[in-house]
Every structure is written in structure tokens, then in C-alpha cells.
DNA sequence: GGGTACATGTAACTCGTTACATGATTCC
DNA sequence: GGAATCATGTAACGAGTTACATGTACCC
């Protein structure tokens, strides 16, 4: 399906970037909520995209002599990206989730172990949610205008917060179930 | 991390199973909400687990002469599983989500395309949610007792419904944002 | 001079999917 | 007899991680 390909093409559409810049984007607070890749995956993909005629690059000298490759998208790359972006695909399978897998097999735990398991996850999810909420509060005083980059940023951040909220709500429900009995 | 290994060990702990049975479990309505694997991944893993001494199997004849391998867990396998189950691991990275990725780059779409994109996803998510809710309503009149297999089933089903609910709520929020402007 | 960030790559490996391949059983 | 399901496997490939490997630039 080559998702990484399209993630890279879309990032480079916004502005010319190096492989290093793309790697940083994948570790940023918005993108990492739904996609990421290591540099060891990105560099080979960039090479492949150039070979396929979807990207070009020029060498830029940083400082004295350090070479970096600044990638830009080609017309062909842009067309390919737009086609992919507006495709209507079937629903993805539900995401894998190790925590839910452990929870599913909770009949193999003691009640104390199950409780600890749920409480520990609740704490971690709360920290993650608070971090996301902090970003939301600092960057967005109101909802950005549609069709701006910021509106996309806003939507996925909002989605990430709601996802964590729902996870926390679920954990609380489970904890309540086991303490009520 | 060998998650598949532990998923298989846990399933076989409940009762002796063939590779075919395990494959069916991974396509069932509860397990597939957070883990799954194809038979082409399961059979080699079973062979590996026998080699590692965590599983054993006996050949059972079905009908006239068809051989099937019925796997059971060993003591070593059981110990290994229990240790893994109660481990407290750091939070997993947020799951990858192609729909969110497309949404993030919505500034490259027209407003109509973005709207279609959101509405289409909303419809699909609603169908999925209704299916899950139907299962919930048919199987669980009340919350099962803790430490039963059914309680694990209930918790993850409840979690899956809440996850879809939250996704739907997010989509509605986004749709509202773009129609208000 | 030293530490951190910038910058780019490769190799080995694990995980997961798609496709190929085969045969028995059960039910109509 | 035919179709759906039961049952088990392998091969090739693609996706992703960890570790190895190297060198520059910038700031203190």
C-alpha cells in the first residue's frame, strides 16, 4: 500500500525537505499521533521515490562542506499524491493493541493483578492525554480556517485527544466494574 | 516482542486447539478488535513454539484419515505466558491510522473532497459500531463476573464500542467545523 | 575541546501479507 | 458430483526495527 510513500510526498509538497527534516516531522507532536517512521526506513524510501520520478533533490552545502539533500516533489509526484489522498478505501482493520490483548486474557490474572494492570494504564494514558491537551490549549485559541495547514493539524490533534479520552473512560469503566463486585 | 506468541499461548491455555481453530479465533468478533494473524503466520509460529518447548501437540484423526494437530500448552509455556501477562510495559506508540493521515493533509483537498472524505468514513464507522453494539446487546444482559473468560470478552467489546463511538464523535465534530464556516 | 544536534546511509532481522499449493470432509 | 469448509503448509515480498557506521556543524 506504500503509505510511507504518500506521507513523505505530502510532507515534501508543503516545503522542500531533507531526510533528516522528515524524520523530525515523524517524531513531532502532531504526526506521531497517527504515523511515524525511523530514518533507516525514510532514506531508502526517498531514494526509491527519486528513482520513480516522484521526487527530485538538489545538494545544498551547510556550513563549510556538509552536504544535505533537499527534496522537492515533481509534477508526477503531485498527481500521484492527489489521487491517493482523495481515494475512498474500505475501513482499515481495527488497530492492534497489546494492552487490550492482555486485558482479554485477564481471567488468567488475580483480581489484584488485573486492578494494577488497569490502574497503571490509566495513569500513563492520563499523562499522554494531558500533554496533548496542553498543546491544544497553547496553539489553538479558536478553530483554524478550513483548507489551511493549521486546520489539518487541529483536526488530528482533536482526534488524538478524543481517542485518549475514550481510552481513559473505558479504563475507568473497567475499574468500576471490578471494584463494584 | 513476540506478541503473536503470547496470543497463541493464551488461546491454547483455554483449550487445546488446532492451527485452524486459532486462525478462526483471530477472525472472530472479539479478538479481531485488537489482534489478528493469517494462517500463514500462525503455522510457522506454532512449529516454533513446539521447538521452544512451550507447546506440545498430538495428532488427531478426523473422519477417515485426515490428520490434524491438536496443540496444548506445557508447564514452561504456562509460566512464560503468566510472566508476560502481568508485565508492566511503557505505553505503546499511538496506532497508525491512514484515515487520520489523509485528514492531516486535507489542505490539499477541495472543501467538497474533505466533506466527502469525512462523511464516507462516518458511514463506515457507524456500520462497524452498530455491529459491535448488536453483539453486545445479544450476548450481555448484565456485566459478567470478574475472572471469568466472559468478563475479558465483555471488557474488550465494551472498549471496541467506545473506541468507535469516539471516532464517530470526532468525525461529527470535524464535519460540524467545516459546515459552520 | 566537548557535547549536542545535524545529516546520511547500510545490514540483519522480525513481523506481516499475498499468493501458491494440496488434500480431506461434510452436506446438499 | 459439487460446493463450502476443514486442515496444513511454503515462498516471495513488503514493512518496520535495531544496530552498526560515519562525519559535520554549532554552541558553550
Amino acid at each position: 500500500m506504500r503509505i510511507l510513500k504518500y506521507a513523505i510526498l505530502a510532507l515534501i509538497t508543503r516545503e522542500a525537505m531533507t531526510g533528516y527534516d522528515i524524520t523530525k516531522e515523524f517524531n513531532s507532536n502532531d504526526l506521531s499521533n497517527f504515523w511515524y517512521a525511523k530514518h533507516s526506513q525514510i532514506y531508502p524510501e526517498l531514494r526509491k521515490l527519486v528513482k520513480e520520478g516522484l521526487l527530485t533533490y538538489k545538494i545544498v552545502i551547510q556550513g563549510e562542506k556538509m552536504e544535505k539533500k533537499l527534496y522537492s516533489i515533481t509534477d508526477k509526484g503531485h498527481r500521484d499524491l492527489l489521487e491517493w489522498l482523495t481515494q475512498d478505501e474500505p475501513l482499515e482493520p481495527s488497530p492492534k493493541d497489546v494492552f487490550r490483548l492482555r486485558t482479554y486474557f485477564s481471567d488468567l490474572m488475580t483480581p489484584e493483578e488485573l486492578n494494577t494492570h488497569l490502574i497503571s494504564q490509566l495513569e500513563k494514558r492520563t499523562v499522554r492525554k494531558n500533554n496533548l491537551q496542553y498543546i491544544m490549549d497553547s496553539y489553538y485559541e479558536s478553530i483554524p480556517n478550513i483548507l489551511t495547514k493549521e486546520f489539518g493539524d487541529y483536526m488530528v490533534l482533536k482526534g488524538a485527544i478524543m481517542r485518549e479520552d475514550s481510552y481513559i473512560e473505558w479504563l475507568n469503566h473497567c475499574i468500576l466494574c471490578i471494584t463494584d463486585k
Side-chain angles (χ1 to χ4, degrees), chain A residues 3-51:
Chain A
I3 313 295
L4 180 60
K5 163 184 163 179
Y6 295 105
I8 289 176
L9 289 180
L11 282 174
I12 291 177
T13 296
R14 290 193 168 162
E15 68 179 307
M17 278 184 171
T18 65
Y20 190 82
D21 294 332
I22 293 168
T23 307
K24 267 198 305 183
E25 281 293 321
F26 280 124
N27 294 317
S28 74
N29 268 311
D30 22 357
L31 205 40
S32 74
N33 281 308
F34 49 88
W35 211 266
Y36 41 84
K38 309 277 164 85
H39 77 276
S40 55
Q41 202 184 353
I42 292 167
Y43 287 114
E45 186 67 31
L46 284 169
R47 175 188 288 262
K48 197 172 174 185
L49 291 170
V50 169
K51 204 173 160 189

Side-chain angles (χ1 to χ4, degrees), chain A residues 130-146:
Chain A
N130 287 340
N131 287 335
L132 292 169
Q133 189 63 55
Y134 178 77
I135 297 164
M136 178 62 95
D137 294 341
S138 340
Y139 282 81
Y140 303 99
E141 286 182 16
S142 64
I143 297 174
N145 277 327
I146 183 179

